[in-house]
Amino acid sequence: MATADIIDGKAIAEALRARIGGATAELASRHRVVPGLAVVLVGDDPASHVYVRNKGIATKKAGMRSIEHRLAADAREAEIVALVRRLNADDAVDGVLVQMPLPPQIDAHRVINEIDPAKDVDGLTEANAGRLLLGVKGLEPCTPQGSVILIKTIEKKLAGLHAVVIGRSILVGKPLSLMLLAENCTVTMAHSRTRDLAETCRSADILCAAVGKAALIKGDFVKSGAIVIDVGINRVGERLIGDVDFAGAAQRARAITPVPGGVGPMTIACLLKNTVLAAARRRGLPDPEI
Ligand code: NAD
């Protein structure tokens, strides 16, 4: 029986990071600009601490400055907003990222919207979400950006293909749907209220799962020859598994991302890409070739 190609997100992200490193070096040598990424971490969520540490390491490796601000779990919203405003005003900072989730007393939407859209490297402010909707150049969310790059390693021209995106979050599903629409896909957005998920999935040339439910998407949901992008990260015992039943889907798909080692590494790489873009654009320089 046919077995899918495995899309090696780790290797593709590494190659992307090398190109970002090149663009950063050029910004430094030609324009004396060293991009700076500031990450704000509130509270003690262990997974968030790991993410922030990994982002810091990757940022420095790409030749950029990494700035970390840690606030206590009982920090007040006004304190976080004041910090974001200071980072907005700091010319050495090109990217501002507030690590999610924020503690329950904080209105995350309000905090995110304080970020200067020019420094919004997560692409989550109303300004950047609006630009994506309008098809105007902005900073786009990292995980969907990484997902589209992975799809394009398999199929360069996506026009006319049917993409089914499962999940409609602000972070992944909605922006990914818009990006695939911008690539001229015919896009179906599926979600928790979709009536016949299996049948909807079976019509997809490109199937993207961003749900957060382990192995929700069974092998027989996958059309023969489809490209499958598994964004989900679910902890099951000691293991991390995706939203897609990998073994079953790999029997039918043309190509599929593994979990871990698929979309995950692309997210950080795209964050670095956004930081270089933000650094260049803020200074009126053309977008670096990446
Ligand atoms: P979310 O909880 O905000 O959204 C989940 C979406 O799934 C919702 O829109 C909901 O309608 C839909 N959904 C829930 N149950 C469903 C069902 N039974 N059938 C169909 N749709 C259903 O989650 P999110 O932030 O979008 O993240 C989704 C997954 O992606 C999580 O596992 C998360 O850990 C992972 N994630 C991975 C990365 C990465 O870098 N790889 C980045 C962000 C999120």
Side-chain angles (χ1 to χ4, degrees), residues 43-290:
D44 339 287
D45 181 59
S48 294
H49 276 259
V50 175
Y51 291 145
V52 167
R53 198 186 60 221
N54 290 344
K55 282 171 190 168
I57 294 168
T59 306
K60 287 183 208 141
K61 251 187 161 171
M64 304 183 210
R65 274 176 312 97
S66 162
I67 306 131
E68 272 178 40
H69 289 271
R70 288 165 194 261
L71 299 179
D74 62 355
R76 285 174 305 113
E77 193 171 297
E79 242 178 286
I80 307 171
V81 166
L83 172 58
V84 168
R85 288 183 180 161
R86 277 206 305 283
L87 295 170
N88 286 344
D90 183 345
D91 204 40
V93 170
D94 295 291
V96 178
L97 182 156
V98 178
Q99 182 66 44
M100 296 293 138
L102 288 170
Q105 78 274 15
I106 310 293
D107 178 347
H109 184 75
R110 156 110 212 274
V111 170
I112 285 170
N113 266 308
E114 285 292 338
I115 299 171
D116 176 352
K119 298 188 177 188
D120 169 28
V121 283
D122 252 351
L124 296 175
T125 56
E126 286 173 5
N128 279 312
R131 284 174 194 155
L132 179 61
L133 183 71
L134 295 172
V136 174
K137 188 161 94 172
L139 291 168
E140 296 179 346
C142 303
T143 302
Q145 234 191 97
S147 302
V148 173
I149 293 171
L150 292 182
I151 294 166
K152 286 186 143 184
T153 63
I154 302 299
E155 187 68 65
K156 295 259 167 320
K157 290 211 164 61
L158 308 184
L161 296 181
H162 184 204
V164 173
V165 178
I166 316 153
R168 55 175 161 179
S169 72
I170 301 295
L171 190 62
V172 190
K174 269 189 202 165
L176 180 54
S177 299
L178 289 170
M179 286 179 206
L180 290 167
L181 188 61
E183 294 288 341
N184 296 313
C185 288
T186 302
V187 180
T188 299
M189 298 173 76
H191 47 77
S192 53
R193 306 285 181 93
T194 295
R195 286 228 172 109
D196 191 345
L197 185 64
E199 206 46 46
T200 304
C201 291
R202 269 182 218 118
S203 64
D205 303 306
I206 300 169
L207 183 61
C208 303
V211 178
K213 294 215 159 101
L216 173 78
I217 308 304
K218 310 294 175 212
D220 68 350
F221 290 22
V222 176
K223 174 170 153 180
S224 172
I227 298 170
V228 179
I229 302 294
D230 191 353
V231 181
I233 301 175
N234 308 287
R235 188 169 286 284
V236 176
E238 291 294 292
R239 291 174 56 217
L240 288 183
I241 66 170
D243 290 343
V244 179
D245 164 23
F246 182 86
Q251 302 282 316
R252 300 169 70 126
R254 167 176 168 200
I256 184 168
T257 58
V259 177
V263 176
M266 295 301 290
T267 298
I268 290 189
C270 289
L271 173 69
L272 300 176
K273 181 179 170 198
N274 277 352
T275 306
V276 179
L277 290 178
R281 289 177 187 171
R282 285 181 60 236
R283 292 168 178 84
L285 299 170
D287 283 0
E289 294 242 351
I290 293 173

Side-chain angles (χ1 to χ4, degrees), residues 7-23:
I7 304 173
D8 186 348
K10 216 168 148 212
I12 296 163
E14 220 162 88
L16 176 57
R17 275 160 53 168
R19 295 198 298 278
I20 294 163

